[in-house]
Amino acid sequence: MNLIQWLSENQRPWLAMLVLLLGITLLGIMGVMIKYLGEFYSPTLLAVARNIFGFVPVFLILILRRNTKSIFSLAGKKNGLLLILRGGSIAVAQFCFYLALMKLEFATASTLVFAGPLFITALSVPILRTQVGVWRWAAVIIGFLGIVLIMDVGTDLFNIFALLPLGAAFGYALSSVLVKLFNSEVPTAQIQLYTQAITLFSAITLLIIFSGYSPIVSVADFLLISFMGISGGCGVLCLISAYRMTEPSIIAPFEYFGIPLSIFLGWVFFAEFPISKLFPGVFFIVGAGILIIWREEKNNQKHTNEH
């Protein structure tokens, strides 16, 4: 089999991988703009703007697919509660992550958010009643050891703001686990649209509570803020699309491309290069995440063979 034949037969996984990498890059660009804009605007204001402008790519796709009618159907009481919990958790995660970007090195904040798979594994036990074996619990422990190393816990270098990315990782992980509780007949697009709306409402609530509103002072800032929101919205849609195109276990490890990307972006835009701070802890986090993905794939294969 030559290379062209191999690529054609594996086109969908390769396309999914490229879409995933595009999504991670767009989210990295969003993070750069948030850190820059954070010198002038509050994290709550940027979160509101992110969610407002994040509607743009969602609506464009729905219009192009001519799938707008079913999207606005009622979700039902059970799904409505899940949407509220999911939207609220994402809003809190956004606030924590945006504030972390403003208070920490870009790469440090971005790397600690990769604790998400560890929280997903832990949360799946009480919420989804998932049986988590020794391998995955070992991965969780290894990953949190890496987090402790990066945060310099127990030393004079420990920064309390380093807890913020963990709050963000927990919020995003909770939203990922909750999405599995929706009734199967609820369309993915409906879940995404309702979640976006509730996240926006929750972000506005946080904006009011923390009195984080400040007027946008220039057209240039408005364009940057709008591009930040659209970039984030497109990035999330790319991730969702990538995971629907192929088996998640095939492309999930490529999410860790975000770590070297964040180091590069932090160095280029903010003259930050916290390599000594990130290593060796980052290896523990990445290794733990890959171990969890591997065990998930092994379990899926086992269940498939049994049925």
Side-chain angles (χ1 to χ4, degrees):
M1 181 184 297
N2 60 38
L3 179 60
I4 295 177
Q5 289 176 328
W6 187 84
L7 286 173
S8 62
E9 292 179 8
N10 295 272
Q11 180 179 3
R12 204 164 182 81
W14 273 96
L15 182 59
M17 182 192 71
L18 292 175
V19 172
L20 180 79
L21 295 179
L22 175 60
I24 292 170
T25 302
L26 288 171
L27 292 174
I29 292 171
M30 180 197 75
V32 168
M33 288 185 283
I34 288 171
K35 187 171 180 65
Y36 169 75
L37 292 166
E39 296 184 17
F40 315 102
Y41 303 101
S42 69
T44 49
L45 176 66
L46 295 178
V48 169
R50 154 69 183 87
N51 290 293
I52 290 175
F53 290 105
F55 276 111
V56 173
V58 175
F59 278 123
L60 283 176
I61 289 176
L62 293 177
I63 291 170
L64 290 173
R65 290 183 176 179
R66 299 177 181 178
N67 191 26
T68 55
K69 290 185 179 179
S70 64
I71 298 306
F72 295 100
S73 59
L74 294 177
K77 289 184 179 180
K78 177 187 175 183
N79 292 325
L81 178 60
L82 289 174
L83 288 165
I84 291 172
L85 291 174
R86 190 166 185 263
S89 68
I90 292 174
V92 172
Q94 287 177 342
F95 172 75
C96 290
F97 182 48
Y98 296 0
L99 185 57
L101 287 173
M102 299 173 189
K103 300 294 184 180
L104 301 172
E105 299 97 337
F106 184 81
T108 301
S110 300
T111 298
L112 289 174
V113 172
F114 278 93
L118 312 180
F119 285 118
I120 289 174
T121 301
L123 288 171
S124 65
V125 175
I127 296 176
L128 303 178
R129 306 298 181 187
T130 302
Q131 295 293 325
V132 176
V134 175
W135 280 98
R136 280 182 287 178
W137 279 124
V140 170
I141 294 172
I142 292 170
F144 277 108
L145 176 60
I147 291 169
V148 169
L149 290 173
I150 292 176
M151 291 172 60
D152 292 315
V153 175
T155 73
D156 295 335
L157 298 176
F158 173 70
N159 185 341
I160 191 66
F161 290 112
L163 295 173
L164 289 170
L166 299 186
F170 181 86
Y172 288 130
L174 180 59
S175 71
S176 297
V177 173
L178 289 175
V179 79
K180 296 181 180 294
L181 297 177
F182 284 97
N183 295 331
S184 58
E185 63 268 17
V186 180
T188 301
Q190 185 190 58
I191 295 173
Q192 193 64 19
L193 187 65
Y194 273 75
T195 299
Q196 184 87 22
I198 294 170
T199 302
L200 173 60
F201 177 80
S202 302
I204 292 173
T205 303
L206 291 174
L207 177 69
I208 296 171
I209 292 173
F210 290 101
S211 301
Y213 175 74
S214 56
I216 298 174
V217 297
S218 68
V219 174
D221 281 2
F222 176 80
L223 292 175
L224 275 177
I225 289 172
S226 61
F227 184 66
M228 176 270 295
I230 294 173
S231 178
C234 289
V236 170
L237 286 176
C238 284
L239 295 186
I240 294 173
S241 299
Y243 277 105
R244 297 189 70 181
M245 291 167 66
T246 188
E247 288 294 324
S249 59
I250 295 176
I251 60 172
F254 290 97
E255 280 206 38
Y256 290 104
F257 168 72
I259 293 178
L261 177 66
S262 66
I263 294 173
F264 174 76
L265 293 175
W267 172 62
V268 170
F269 290 99
F270 307 109
E272 299 171 350
F273 201 64
I275 294 296
S276 60
K277 185 178 183 66
L278 294 177
F279 292 92
V282 67
F283 290 122
F284 288 82
I285 296 174
V286 173
I290 293 175
L291 179 57
I292 289 172
I293 294 167
W294 173 70
R295 289 305 298 177
E296 288 284 350
E297 177 63 14
K298 293 285 286 186
N299 289 337
N300 290 338
Q301 289 178 354
K302 180 180 178 181
H303 292 152
T304 301
N305 293 333
E306 289 176 351
H307 292 87

